[in-house]
Amino acid sequence: MTKIDRATPEDIYSVALNMRERDFEEFTAVNMANTKEELAESLSRHYGSLDCMIAVRRGDKAVAVGGALEIRPNVVSLMFMATDDFSKVAIDTTKYIRNQLFPSLFNVGIHRIECASLVGYDYTHRWLKMLGMTREIGVMRAFGKNGEDFSMFAKVA
């Protein structure tokens, strides 16, 4: 059974340590970390105490974590990472984000939800579109620390 609640620092650390390989490539492109251990430490330290972070659990185990981080007034950036078990909770997670998370953000005055994603991460890009997000602008060239290209997706109220 899928349960979605507030993420703890331990949830973030565990999911980051066991994240999908493509998630690791995407996150390390925009983080100083170079290993899963460094990334797990960095993410749990920076985001573990934030109320906006959620954990998606299968039983008692977190298999995904995410959040909507305010980056400008009334604009949030969607952050999400998962383990290889995400497919087992994907439908419930998608419904939760579309039907509860996004509407709750718009209800408190957020007018833009955006997400930068590594070019070529087609699985995630299809999922972002299922969430109602649209690919914007062309490729953001050399957006990552090693010159990785990204695409921007957004949902506007």
Side-chain angles (χ1 to χ4, degrees), residues 6 12-14 24 39 58 77-78 80 100 105 116 119 134:
R6 188 179 181 287
I12 295 168
Y13 187 89
S14 174
F24 176 71
L39 185 61
R58 187 162 189 259
S77 178
L78 189 63
F80 193 83
Q100 293 182 42
L105 292 169
V119 165
T134 305

Side-chain angles (χ1 to χ4, degrees), residues 16-17 19-43 79-81 116 118 121 143-148 150:
L17 199 59
M19 68 172 53
R20 299 173 290 193
E21 198 56 38
R22 193 68 169 164
D23 285 4
F24 176 71
E25 291 174 25
E26 185 171 88
F27 271 85
T28 54
V30 294
N31 189 290
M32 294 302 293
N34 292 307
T35 67
K36 283 191 178 179
E37 292 78 12
E38 292 171 349
L39 185 61
E41 175 62 34
S42 172
L43 295 175
M79 172 202 173
F80 193 83
M81 63 183 152
L118 189 63
Y121 200 178
F143 186 82
K145 71 181 180 193
N146 295 310
E148 299 91 345
F150 276 69

